[in-house]
């Protein structure tokens, strides 16, 4: 038993400070979601393997964590696996509970998911996803509200961001007009890498994927489209004049931008024709959010899908959703030093005592202060004062109330400000006034 | 794909109302924990199987959900299993991170655990535990604070409860004085069932477990001890006069009751010598909390342990903890109709509109109201008014703001109280004043 215990590779323990910080992110996101009428739901950690298989491509199937059946009837029980994302369980949920739900159904989920990926820096086998979707309506108010949510969440967190927006129908239109209508997926997969590998490599990949030289050439001016959003939209209308689906995409973009100006959205938004997003179920708007002051890639992303629940037998249900990347947001807040100081300690005041009678007095005062909503600890033993003070130090507790014989007699405490080192004799009411 | 998808047996989806109710319980508990300076931590869903095996007895080992290794190096990777409870992961956490922690370490965890138990009413294969412990101190202030936490949590939830308390050292003393010092575990296992199977069956079991007739006879008056707490303690002092450990247990109980009166605890507390609690790692105080107005067994329980981390190579660390049974608390609140009405809907106001221009106005107003902290939805399309109203009904949204041509012109909305049916024309400021 001498060996220190450990946890599985790619998983993490979250200590007190990390949890306080993670909860700060989740609570911020949650309270914004609530303002827009989204309700939280939760699906089980495990799903039947038939729910998960074939939904994430061949690679994804290999990354599923499978659970061995145990207990009675193990052999005949359906196989199970840990959730790989929240999207498929959500689709399953909507189909399974469709009779109980009122549509449009606005829900969010904040839960861990598991992938048997090779662990590496910033990539874990267990990590939280934070998904918000409205399903059962094709109104672009959905897109608008998600963009407003992005604006408000990052305003509250203090992170400056730019939202990149594109539309899958525009991408389909582009594939049409460059003469490669069947290559939409290939084009999106390739140009999705533009940021990472550069235009030369993207062009090479496009040729490799079977696009003609002419098509690749025709694509270049579109990828390089510049100017204001209005200018880009005007240019697109010309470029896509012969593509019905392309024009529909432009219209959708125009409507979203129109609604954004109705609500006077202050978010920095970039109409980015090179934004493609890998996942194939998107059919309309697609988004990605990047932090302006940190090099970390996308911290939020999503889009509209027209047939997410089709895989479970309920076709034709349109929805739009985004996912906040909690781990990356955490890293951005750390890097930019944006976490509130107050998360350092949950405790406002520690009572430190010199004897049993003093400890009794501390317990009584602690009760009175907690009744005022002040988070208070009582060091549980009248041990060496140095040890009690060092406990306060380590926990970053800002105030210590010291009780010795004199204080006991005067029914006051010596209140010490741990930052400045100042201390003075105060009454219970004075503490209440100071700290509540 | 015609078959409706489903979830694994013994697992649950939590819909919007169930989640709001569960969050209400967790938030209540969490905010009380915080007042006492407990910090939240989180351990992974999966632990190395070596961490889990042998900790829950033979039966427990069988109920572990094992995870198949996948990905690279699957064959050589250590086996993993889903957490069976939060106690063992906590012990593992304390040992693994002991250098980073300040002791006494006060932590809580609210996380799901998994058991391959046969599912039945009220017993699930995935369920939340909610554990709070202070470890690294043998001061009975720990017991006191946990009892205060029980008092405050149930006061806030509005559930009338009685806390049953006993002490394992007293039970050990009883085993000694009835002449069966090596039978302490057998005695506790048997008398733990007193409530369920009655005294006759318990006595039969005690004989079966090898207690002599005399020992069982000697035990009877102790099981039937009555009177006030003070009277019981006095009687125990006499009964246990020849048992050192027994007297230590009585002293501990006296100290806890003494501290409770110092802080003027109002909780109903029963010194219950028949309380034993099944788990063998308890060594001092043991608790169970029962709801007075519902027949549902224990809704919170715990106790002191002197060697929880010994299994991971760190002996001699004393701690005390309790666990709140979230599912049972949920059931009690449901049965007694104690959930706040306000959990029915997270949304305060829905905008329902007659046309696109009205929808635009609604989006602007919604933004202004959300800035005041009011949770607002905009029905995303100006569809049939009946459908919009029925959406509000189904989601239990208490207010609907209707916007037609007249309202648009007057820059007012027709505000309808969905409960009374009353409606009147109001301005944006009037809504703000009414709802914020």
């Amino acid at each position: 038993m001498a060996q220190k215990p450990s946890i599985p590779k790619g998983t993490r323990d979250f200590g007190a400070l990390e949890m306080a910080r993670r909860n700060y992110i989740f609570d911020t996101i949650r309270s914004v979601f609530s303002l827009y009428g989204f309700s939280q739901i939760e699906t089980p950690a495990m799903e039947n393997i038939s729910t998960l298989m074939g939904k994430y491509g061949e690679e994804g199937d290999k990354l599923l964590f499978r659970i061995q059946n145990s207990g009675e009837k193990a052999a005949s029980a359906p196989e199970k696996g840990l959730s790989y994302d929240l999207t498929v369980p959500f689709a399953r949920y909507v189909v399974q509970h469709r009779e109980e739900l009122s549509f449009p159904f606005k829900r969010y989920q904040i839960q861990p998911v598991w992938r048997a990926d090779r662990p590496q820096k910033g990539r874990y086998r267990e990590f939280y996803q934070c998904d918000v979707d409205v399903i059962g309506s094709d109104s672009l108010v959905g897109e608008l509200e998600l963009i407003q949510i992005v604006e408000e969440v990052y305003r509250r967190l203090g992170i400056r961001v730019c939202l990149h927006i594109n539309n899958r129908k525009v991408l389909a239109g582009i594939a049409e007009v460059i003469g490669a209508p069947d290559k939409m997926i290939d084009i999106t997969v390739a140009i999705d890498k533009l940021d990472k590998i550069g235009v030369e490599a993207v062009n090479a990949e496009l040729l490799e994927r079977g696009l003609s030289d002419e098509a690749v050439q025709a694509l270049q001016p579109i990828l390089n489209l510049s100017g204001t959003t209005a200018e880009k939209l005007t240019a697109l209308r010309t470029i896509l004049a012969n593509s019905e689906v392309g024009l529909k995409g432009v219209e959708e973009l125009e409507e979203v931008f129109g609604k954004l100006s109705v609500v006077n959205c202050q978010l920095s938004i970039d109409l980015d024709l090179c934004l493609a997003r890998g996942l194939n179920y998107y059919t309309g708007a697609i988004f990605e959010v990047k932090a302006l002051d940190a090099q970390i890639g996308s911290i939020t992303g999503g889009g509209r899908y027209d047939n997410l629940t089709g895989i479970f037998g309920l076709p034709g249900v349109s929805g739009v959703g985004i996912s906040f990347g909690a781990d990356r947001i955490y890293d951005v807040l750390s890097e930019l030093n944006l976490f509130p100081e107050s998360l350092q300690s949950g405790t406002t005041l520690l009572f430190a005592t010199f004897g049993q009678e003093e400890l009794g007095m501390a317990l009584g005062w602690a009760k009175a202060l907690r009744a005022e909503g002040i988070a208070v600890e009582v060091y549980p033993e009248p041990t060496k004062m140095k040890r009690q003070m060092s406990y306060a130090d380590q926990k970053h507790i800002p105030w210590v109330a010291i009780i010795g014989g004199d204080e006991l007699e005067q029914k006051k405490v010596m209140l010490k400000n741990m930052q400045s080192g100042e201390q003075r004799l105060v009454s219970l009411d004075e503490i209440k006034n100071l700290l509540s």
Side-chain angles (χ1 to χ4, degrees), chain A:
Chain A
M1 275 294 168
Q3 209 191 339
K4 228 182 183 181
S6 64
I7 50 177
K9 228 172 33 163
T11 68
R12 289 168 287 178
D13 284 323
F14 290 90
L17 180 59
E18 290 153 303
M19 271 305 281
R21 289 180 165 175
R22 217 185 66 189
N23 283 342
Y24 165 71
I25 296 171
F26 287 151
D27 290 345
T28 302
I29 291 174
R30 209 189 310 257
S31 60
V32 176
F33 289 171
S34 301
L35 280 182
Y36 286 80
F38 286 85
S39 311
Q40 188 171 15
I41 69 160
E42 210 168 282
T43 53
M46 51 178 84
E47 295 276 350
N48 289 325
I49 204 82
S50 58
T51 300
L52 304 173
M53 286 291 284
K55 310 303 191 299
Y56 307 106
E58 230 173 277
E59 270 312 298
D61 283 352
K62 282 189 209 147
L63 299 183
L64 293 174
F65 275 111
R66 285 156 179 270
I67 295 164
Q68 286 174 27
N69 281 315
S70 41
E72 286 177 36
K73 302 183 188 162
S76 64
E79 269 198 280
K80 293 177 280 291
L82 292 177
S83 300
Y84 177 92
D85 71 1
L86 301 177
T87 305
V88 167
F90 173 53
R92 189 270 308 150
Y93 177 92
V94 169
V95 177
Q96 186 177 336
H97 298 277
R98 60 183 184 252
E99 265 103 43
E100 312 145 36
L101 302 176
S102 23
F103 293 95
F105 177 52
K106 300 168 86 171
R107 85 83 174 81
Y108 70 93
Q109 274 174 267
I110 301 180
Q111 295 186 238
V113 298
W114 295 268
R115 295 180 188 179
D117 238 329
R118 196 213 298 242
Q120 49 181 267
K121 193 179 176 307
R123 191 195 287 167
Y124 302 99
R125 292 183 150 192
E126 171 179 76
F127 58 98
Y128 269 80
Q129 288 196 334
C130 174
D131 283 16
V132 58
D133 291 78
V134 48
I135 193 164
S137 161
D138 54 13
S139 161
L140 300 183
V141 169
E143 278 79 344
L144 171 74
E145 291 194 341
L146 293 180
I147 294 171
Q148 288 185 286
I149 284 173
V150 166
E151 179 187 18
E152 183 62 13
V153 164
Y154 289 111
R155 192 189 66 73
R156 293 188 182 195
L157 293 176
I159 300 176
R160 298 194 316 133
V161 297
C162 176
L163 181 137
H164 297 252
I165 186 170
N166 197 4
N167 190 297
R168 274 294 177 92
K169 295 188 181 79
V170 167
L171 290 172
I174 291 172
E176 265 182 42
V177 300
I178 66 170
D182 56 327
K183 296 286 184 195
M184 206 271 274
I185 299 292
D186 291 286
I187 297 172
T188 58
V189 170
I191 69 173
D192 205 32
K193 302 177 186 162
L194 198 67
D195 260 11
K196 281 184 204 150
I197 64 176
V199 67
E200 303 279 309
V202 166
N203 287 342
E205 181 168 336
L206 287 168
L207 292 170
E208 218 169 84
R209 284 173 176 271
L211 260 79
S212 67
D213 261 331
E214 296 72 36
V216 173
Q217 284 316 311
L219 187 62
Q220 301 309 304
I222 304 173
L223 294 186
N224 293 318
L225 216 59
S226 64
T228 64
T229 299
E231 286 163 0
K232 285 183 192 168
L233 287 169
T234 308
L236 272 180
R237 277 209 169 271
T238 315
I239 293 167
L240 299 174
N242 293 321
S243 165
E244 195 182 328
V245 63
L247 287 177
K248 180 81 173 68
V250 175
E251 252 167 50
E252 288 181 8
L253 283 168
E254 285 171 341
E255 187 180 334
V256 170
F257 279 104
K259 285 190 165 28
L260 284 165
S261 73
V262 165
V263 300
N264 193 24
C265 179
Q266 298 299 307
L267 189 64
S268 154
I269 299 181
D270 179 22
L271 171 53
D272 180 356
L273 294 171
C274 298
L275 174 67
R277 286 189 71 74
L279 295 165
N280 285 330
Y281 53 74
Y282 292 121
T283 51
I286 44 183
F287 319 99
E288 264 179 29
V289 179
K290 287 181 181 157
L292 294 177
D293 304 313
Q295 297 293 323
I296 202 163
S298 160
I299 55 179
T300 294
R304 175 165 295 272
Y305 42 82
D306 282 339
N307 199 20
L308 194 65
T309 56
I311 41 173
F312 297 113
L314 185 66
V317 181
S318 186
V320 58
I322 54 173
S323 183
F324 285 84
D327 285 316
R328 285 187 172 180
I329 295 172
Y330 190 105
D331 289 345
V332 171
L333 291 170
S334 292
E335 190 183 323
L336 303 178
N337 211 7
L338 290 172
F339 281 114
E341 271 288 316
S342 60
L343 302 177
Q344 289 273 346
S345 180
T347 303
T348 305
L349 173 73
L350 173 77
F351 282 96
T353 60
F354 278 100
Q356 285 298 340
E357 224 180 315
E358 290 90 336
L359 181 59
M361 173 175 154
L363 293 172
W365 281 41
K367 178 173 175 166
L369 292 172
R370 289 175 186 135
E372 304 288 317
I374 305 166
V376 172
E377 289 187 59
V378 177
Y379 197 88
E381 294 153 274
T383 181
K384 284 191 197 113
M385 190 47 58
K386 200 180 149 194
R387 188 154 150 210
Q388 300 185 61
M389 297 306 280
S390 114
Y391 176 82
D393 257 345
Q394 280 165 16
K395 282 192 82 171
H396 300 277
I397 300 174
W399 300 93
V400 175
I402 302 163
I403 311 182
D406 287 352
E407 287 82 10
L408 187 66
E409 204 172 299
Q410 296 183 58
K411 294 200 173 118
K412 295 204 168 184
V413 301
M414 188 58 75
L415 184 68
K416 180 169 180 175
N417 178 323
M418 293 296 280
Q419 191 145 28
S420 69
E422 283 171 71
Q423 54 184 49
R424 62 195 176 93
L425 207 62
V426 296
S427 69
L428 181 56
D429 279 341
E430 285 173 285
I431 299 192
K432 280 186 193 169
N433 289 334
L434 187 66
L435 301 183
S436 66

